[in-house]
Amino acid sequence: MSSTELPYVSATTNVLPKVTPVRVAEGERLRSVGLPGITLTVRSRTPAREGLPPALYVHGLGGSSQNWSALMPLNEELVDSEALDLPGFGDSPPPDDGDYSVTGHARAVIRYLDASGRGPVHLFGNSLGGAVSTRVAAVRPDLVRTLTLISPALPEIRVQRNAVPTALLALPGVARLFTRLTEDWSAEQRVRGVTALCYGDPGQVTPEGFRDAVEEMERRLQLPYFWDAMARSARGIVNAYTLGGQHGLWRQAERVLAPTLLVYGGRDQLVSYRMAQRAARAFRDSRLLSLPDAGHVAMMEYPETVASAFRELLEAAGELTAEAGTVAARTVGSRVDAANAGS
């Protein structure tokens, strides 16, 4: 191990403390899947009917499968939804080899799809998960039917100013220093910081949603590998940004064959809105959804809009019958009406 590497923190059972259970929303279920070198937690919903095509959702840095809990119910008339906790995040323990690179995470997704036999899937990715999903779609086109990328972490020459602290986590010793400097921060303070960074309008977070996020933050901070997973994954993003040639993410984006939906937020503080047009040119069969008021997690801020755009992607790709599209549109519409009535 070189002097610039963080020591790997093993997640053996004798060092893991007892933590509060991961939150499971109504209609969801969790299961653990053991694969060579990794154990993944999978969050799923019962589809509206049998025979729907499968979908897989991949979260971003510091996130979990819970990030998709608002979108998955809106897609239940269209797809059979599952969301992964990437290794070291959510309720998934660290990978045995400590590999948190974009390639390592992509390998975990591919291993799951190969083992489950669910491919080809409608693949969704946010932020880091967008970079991971791009790599999966490029190297294993047989596993991907369509690709939906929400604020994907693709290389930028001029990185967003607010993304710099995340990139700094990749430097040796910074995660340890940050842990010491913030040891007195409460879970509430941390969650307020995250929502201010990730949401276009943090005021959209409901009191219940904020309480759930605080509970999840308290759980994560008890995990001995939390900062290790964050730091190594941040380093993985930085390293992926520096790769050129056929392994570069933009080059791989050009190789993606699947019809692609790109979602960018005008108030995103982590992935620049100006990258939307470059992405639209790079992915050969793409459509772009621009949300001027959204931040970094549009599937949490505007799930109905994202669900409608996904339905349109399926229609354009010939992946959706007219009847299924009508039912799905009614589902989204009824949820919008219910939300408006409650506001």
Side-chain angles (χ1 to χ4, degrees):
M1 183 176 71
S2 72
S3 60
T4 61
E5 290 182 320
L6 292 169
Y8 173 55
V9 179
S10 176
T12 54
T13 55
N14 61 340
V15 299
L16 286 180
K18 290 183 178 180
V19 296
T20 55
V22 171
R23 179 176 174 271
V24 182
E26 183 179 354
E28 294 180 347
R29 59 187 183 276
L30 294 180
R31 73 181 191 280
S32 182
V33 179
L35 299 168
I38 54 173
T39 299
L40 299 175
T41 295
V42 180
R43 182 180 302 263
S44 60
R45 296 185 63 87
T46 302
R49 59 188 181 278
E50 295 293 327
L52 289 177
L56 187 69
Y57 304 75
V58 186
H59 63 81
L61 180 67
S64 75
S65 57
Q66 292 185 59
N67 293 163
W68 301 101
S69 289
L71 182 61
M72 287 199 296
L74 299 175
N75 288 340
E76 63 186 9
E77 295 285 348
L78 302 173
V79 292
D80 181 354
S81 293
E82 290 188 342
L84 288 179
D85 285 334
L86 289 172
F89 293 95
D91 207 33
S92 293
D96 289 352
D97 60 4
D99 184 359
Y100 288 101
S101 66
V102 171
T103 297
H105 285 312
R107 189 179 299 121
V109 173
I110 290 170
R111 283 179 184 171
Y112 174 70
L113 289 176
D114 279 340
S116 67
R118 283 174 57 83
V121 298
H122 297 288
L123 186 61
F124 292 72
N126 170 234
S127 191
L128 164 63
V132 169
S133 297
T134 297
R135 185 150 290 174
V136 171
V139 303
R140 288 293 305 274
D142 58 305
L143 293 178
V144 182
R145 300 169 78 124
T146 66
L147 183 63
T148 297
L149 303 177
I150 301 169
S151 295
L154 300 175
E156 301 181 35
I157 296 176
R158 292 170 53 203
V159 177
Q160 292 279 79
R161 182 179 61 183
N162 287 315
V164 171
T166 300
L168 289 176
L169 275 178
L171 296 177
V174 171
R176 191 176 300 110
L177 174 61
F178 184 76
T179 303
R180 287 203 304 269
L181 293 176
T182 63
E183 61 184 355
D184 294 331
W185 290 13
S186 67
E188 289 87 349
Q189 289 174 304
R190 295 175 190 271
V191 170
R192 290 191 192 282
V194 170
T195 55
L197 183 64
C198 292
Y199 278 74
D201 177 11
Q204 288 194 24
V205 180
T206 65
E208 180 184 9
F210 183 80
R211 287 194 301 271
D212 291 340
V214 169
E215 180 181 305
E216 175 62 13
M217 180 63 73
E218 290 172 339
R219 188 192 70 83
R220 293 183 188 185
L221 291 172
Q222 296 177 61
L223 299 172
Y225 55 81
F226 172 74
W227 285 112
D228 185 66
M230 286 286 290
R232 288 178 182 271
S233 292
R235 182 182 298 170
I237 296 174
V238 172
N239 289 343
Y241 275 32
T242 64
L243 284 177
Q246 63 178 345
H247 299 297
L249 284 168
W250 284 115
R251 181 68 64 83
Q252 291 190 323
E254 295 170 353
R255 289 165 50 192
V256 171
L257 301 176
T260 301
L261 170 63
L262 301 164
V263 183
Y264 281 81
R267 295 183 179 179
D268 194 330
Q269 300 180 65
L270 295 171
V271 169
S272 176
Y273 189 57
R274 66 176 177 269
M275 301 305 293
Q277 291 300 326
R278 179 176 181 180
R281 292 191 299 269
F283 290 89
R284 66 179 70 186
D285 183 6
S286 68
R287 54 178 52 212
L288 175 62
L289 172 62
S290 297
L291 298 174
D293 294 326
H296 193 59
V297 286
M299 72 286 188
M300 300 172 73
E301 296 180 87
Y302 298 97
E304 292 86 4
T305 306
V306 174
S308 294
F310 174 61
R311 185 182 71 250
E312 292 169 3
L313 173 70
L314 296 188
E315 291 173 342
E319 292 271 354
L320 184 65
T321 65
E323 180 182 0
T326 300
V327 173
R330 285 202 202 102
T331 300
V332 173
S334 65
R335 290 180 185 272
V336 171
D337 293 340
N340 291 336
S343 61

